[in-house]
Amino acid sequence: MHAHGLTQYSPKAAEAFSFPSKPESKHSMSPLLFQTPQPPLSSTCPQRWPGIDAESTKVLLKVLEDNHSRWHIFFNYKGFHNHAAHHLLAIWAMGASAKIIFSAYETHCVYQRPAFDSPSRITRHNFNEHLGDERFYSAYLEFFVLELGKKGFARTFEEFVFAPSANYLAEPPPEGNGHPEMLSRFIGGLLHPLIHTGYGAEFGLLGMSAEGLAMAAVHPAKMHALLPPSDFSSPLKSGTMHALSILALVAKDERFEHIKMMDDLDMLTMTVSSYDEALRAYAQMWEFDVANKEGVAKAVEELAWFNSIIYGVGGIAKDTFSADFFLMHLVTSTLFFPSLVTSLYQNPRAQALLLRSFFAVSLARYLSRGRPTLDIAKFYRDTSRLLPSSGLDVIPGPQPSPFEDTLPDKNSPEARTPNSWLSIIQTTLVHPNEHLCKVERALAHFASLYGLRGQGWFTTRKQASVATDNSKLEDVERDMGLGKLDGTLFLRVAMLTADTLGWMREGQREEGWDYEGFYDK
């Protein structure tokens, strides 16, 4: 499958696409579904890059409305997701011009499925009857538009994803129907319902929130082994261990050795089925505190390091870097946690459910791709050439010619590329791959928050007494190289990703993601 979908984008295809007049929506865009995006909800939420202007915002809202009314949420019959809005919002937030945003939308329109009416309406009374059925996407979309208009995002999100009644019914469900399990659906589908809803939360776009929640409703519920009924009826107890300590343990756990290749569409389900007890036990070890903003921010930071290591450090388990398509989604989804948990600030239980379920799914996804080796020391040695301090020109393509007295001196590579992030963002904005902008934006945000961490910042937390003794924990942390970890991680991973997908602005051709995984041969 090509990165954009089933067919490759070409200029000829884009020229043949005729942008229609603004379509009529059945709910007439009321409440206003696509308004000027709101500012970041907090200092830990992604900030906006310079370059946003009135014209780029006008075009953004126009194409988001068109996408909302004109296309289905799945672009094929395998349940592959419409990524147009993700792409457009990511590059808008990084300062793309109106023309770039419009051109990006054209690349998606050549392969989408048209929207269609559902067989019947969805109401509160029949909400559970058609869960998992994509034919009812438009009906669930209409339903959530009305709910969001009445209650706003936070209350709707809490009621339909985290409430006990949204997951397990007190009475046995009618024959032919299962429990609603909406949180299981929300974290399924390679995390796309979470990502889509996350865009709604970040930018205050009720249209995106309605699409994301409707998307969740038409996904199957396959994560129930990680989300038992007790999670919704009993207090959630925090563990005693840092997320990276748990990752170090999982990376060396003998139960997960020799994982064989699995079918792409079933690998997560098979992994959860095979290792459900171990995954739940590890997820329960994670220590986080939702009683205050500082505890929530700490948990979100741990997720950023955790999934960036899995994707980035795990990517060099082979001889060359593998930009794994599935592990990359762990990074892109983590970006939305500041916005999502901030939206849930009045419901600590919902915050805890979201954090723990995502942590469990992240662990499961790591295993499902073959549990790639995590060797931070080797990763740092192999990627030292990508840092400005290497003394090398790290950005490909034609180089500028600094004038005399340019700092630090005119012949220095740092005079030609004083900030690699600016080069990364420039090339990302015009790259047609809809996932590249998402992962580079996420890594740039993590670097802005955590880049100041120097080597040695990580210190071992209390060991979980039921899991291991302290000496074993120290051994696995040392083997993983956590003492070497510092804030350059995010730039290293971003550079590797750009190198793999191709610096198109600088003259390289477009390349794609890796789908092979890291399985035992």
Side-chain angles (χ1 to χ4, degrees):
M1 185 184 72
H2 188 265
H4 308 311
L6 298 181
T7 58
Q8 186 165 353
Y9 166 72
S10 69
K12 183 178 179 181
E15 289 172 8
F17 169 64
S18 176
F19 192 83
S21 59
K22 181 177 176 181
E24 289 296 323
S25 169
K26 285 181 289 184
H27 39 73
S28 302
M29 295 298 163
S30 181
L32 291 175
L33 301 182
F34 295 99
Q35 304 182 76
T36 300
Q38 69 183 10
L41 295 174
S42 72
S43 60
T44 60
C45 293
Q47 306 300 300
R48 311 288 156 76
W49 290 74
I52 294 170
D53 60 24
E55 184 63 20
S56 67
T57 305
K58 178 182 177 181
V59 170
L60 171 73
L61 299 178
K62 182 178 180 180
V63 293
L64 288 177
E65 289 180 1
D66 184 73
N67 180 66
H68 177 86
S69 300
R70 190 176 178 199
W71 306 121
H72 192 48
I73 203 66
F74 299 135
F75 68 75
N76 65 14
Y77 294 94
K78 296 181 180 179
F80 291 7
H81 306 86
N82 177 344
H83 284 71
H86 302 186
H87 189 175
L88 306 173
L89 281 163
I91 61 175
W92 175 84
M94 293 190 291
S97 69
K99 188 172 184 179
I100 294 173
I101 292 170
F102 186 85
S103 297
Y105 185 52
E106 288 180 316
T107 70
H108 293 271
C109 291
V110 297
Y111 64 87
Q112 298 297 333
R113 283 171 62 197
F116 56 87
D117 289 336
S118 298
S120 60
R121 293 184 62 207
I122 293 296
T123 68
R124 298 182 72 87
H125 298 294
N126 70 351
F127 183 89
N128 295 341
E129 294 177 14
H130 302 291
L131 292 171
D133 188 342
E134 67 136 45
R135 297 176 304 158
F136 284 85
Y137 169 71
S138 66
Y140 280 109
L141 180 59
E142 291 287 331
F143 175 85
F144 280 116
V145 163
L146 295 174
E147 291 293 320
L148 289 161
K150 291 185 291 186
K151 302 174 182 175
F153 175 68
R155 285 179 57 198
T156 304
F157 189 35
E158 293 169 10
E159 179 180 351
F160 288 96
V161 176
F162 300 101
S165 60
N167 290 279
Y168 291 98
L169 303 175
E171 300 295 330
E175 187 175 351
N177 293 334
H179 291 282
E181 297 186 76
M182 279 294 288
L183 182 54
S184 174
R185 300 176 197 277
F186 184 74
I187 59 174
L190 197 50
L191 296 162
H192 284 100
L194 184 154
I195 291 169
H196 208 102
T197 308
Y199 274 110
E202 178 185 347
F203 295 105
L205 297 172
L206 293 185
M208 290 295 295
S209 299
E211 292 170 14
L213 293 172
M215 183 195 296
V218 298
H219 268 82
K222 295 184 176 181
M223 297 296 107
H224 47 265
L226 300 180
L227 291 165
S230 59
D231 282 359
F232 301 92
S233 59
S234 304
L236 286 179
K237 296 180 180 178
S238 174
T240 58
M241 192 173 290
H242 194 282
L244 298 187
S245 298
I246 297 170
L247 182 57
L249 288 170
V250 172
K252 294 294 184 180
D253 193 322
E254 295 179 355
R255 290 174 293 180
F256 307 135
E257 290 181 350
H258 310 302
I259 295 176
K260 302 296 182 183
M261 184 177 291
M262 293 172 273
D263 178 77
D264 287 352
L265 296 178
D266 297 325
M267 59 184 165
L268 187 63
T269 305
M270 293 173 63
T271 301
V272 170
S273 176
S274 299
Y275 303 112
D276 57 335
E277 291 185 7
L279 287 167
R280 283 201 307 272
Y282 275 123
Q284 290 167 0
M285 291 179 192
W286 185 29
E287 179 182 23
F288 61 85
D289 182 7
V290 294
N292 53 67
K293 290 189 292 186
E294 293 76 19
V296 172
K298 175 178 174 292
V300 170
E301 177 180 354
E302 290 185 28
L303 290 175
W305 290 101
F306 183 89
N307 282 325
S308 298
I309 289 172
I310 290 175
Y311 164 68
V313 178
I316 63 161
K318 300 177 182 179
D319 292 337
T320 57
F321 180 69
S322 297
D324 187 84
F325 178 79
F326 299 93
L327 298 183
M328 167 268 295
H329 282 81
L330 298 181
V331 179
T332 61
S333 53
T334 302
L335 178 65
F336 299 102
F337 268 75
S339 303
L340 289 170
V341 297
T342 299
S343 298
L344 296 169
Y345 76 97
Q346 291 185 316
N347 191 333
R349 182 177 182 81
Q351 290 179 320
L353 281 167
L354 180 61
L355 289 166
R356 179 173 286 176
S357 62
F358 179 72
F359 184 70
V361 167
S362 298
L363 281 174
R365 182 61 70 183
Y366 171 52
L367 297 184
S368 76
R369 297 304 287 157
R371 194 182 65 166
T373 302
L374 302 177
D375 186 340
I376 294 171
K378 180 180 184 301
F379 176 84
Y380 272 43
R381 290 194 300 271
D382 290 351
T383 57
S384 60
R385 60 182 172 80
L386 301 175
L387 299 180
S389 59
S390 68
L392 302 172
D393 283 311
V394 296
I395 307 300
Q399 297 294 321
S401 301
F403 192 69
E404 202 76 39
D405 297 331
T406 301
L407 300 177
D409 69 74
K410 73 171 188 176
N411 296 317
S412 169
E414 290 185 76
R416 292 186 285 274
T417 307
N419 186 335
S420 298
W421 280 112
L422 300 180
S423 300
I424 292 169
I425 298 306
Q426 289 277 67
T427 200
T428 297
L429 287 175
V430 294
H431 198 296
N433 188 283
E434 68 271 27
H435 289 96
L436 179 64
C437 55
K438 295 163 65 177
V439 72
E440 299 291 38
R441 178 173 175 250
L443 291 166
H445 176 61
F446 301 156
S448 72
L449 291 179
Y450 317 124
L452 51 77
R453 303 282 191 222
Q455 283 194 7
W457 71 268
F458 178 84
T459 55
T460 303
R461 270 56 176 184
K462 298 183 298 181
Q463 84 273 18
S465 58
V466 298
T468 181
D469 58 45
N470 195 51
S471 62
K472 180 179 178 181
L473 180 60
E474 291 176 355
D475 287 345
V476 296
E477 290 176 345
R478 188 181 307 109
D479 288 346
M480 189 167 136
L482 286 172
K484 300 286 186 182
L485 191 64
D486 69 5
T488 66
L489 171 75
F490 308 108
L491 177 58
R492 295 169 192 260
V493 178
M495 287 291 294
L496 286 171
T497 304
D499 286 350
T500 303
L501 273 289
W503 294 80
M504 293 182 67
R505 175 180 176 270
E506 291 71 21
Q508 294 183 358
R509 72 177 188 179
E510 179 185 6
E511 302 291 348
W513 302 96
D514 185 87
Y515 293 85
E516 292 183 0
F518 307 87
Y519 302 106
D520 186 76
K521 300 296 183 181

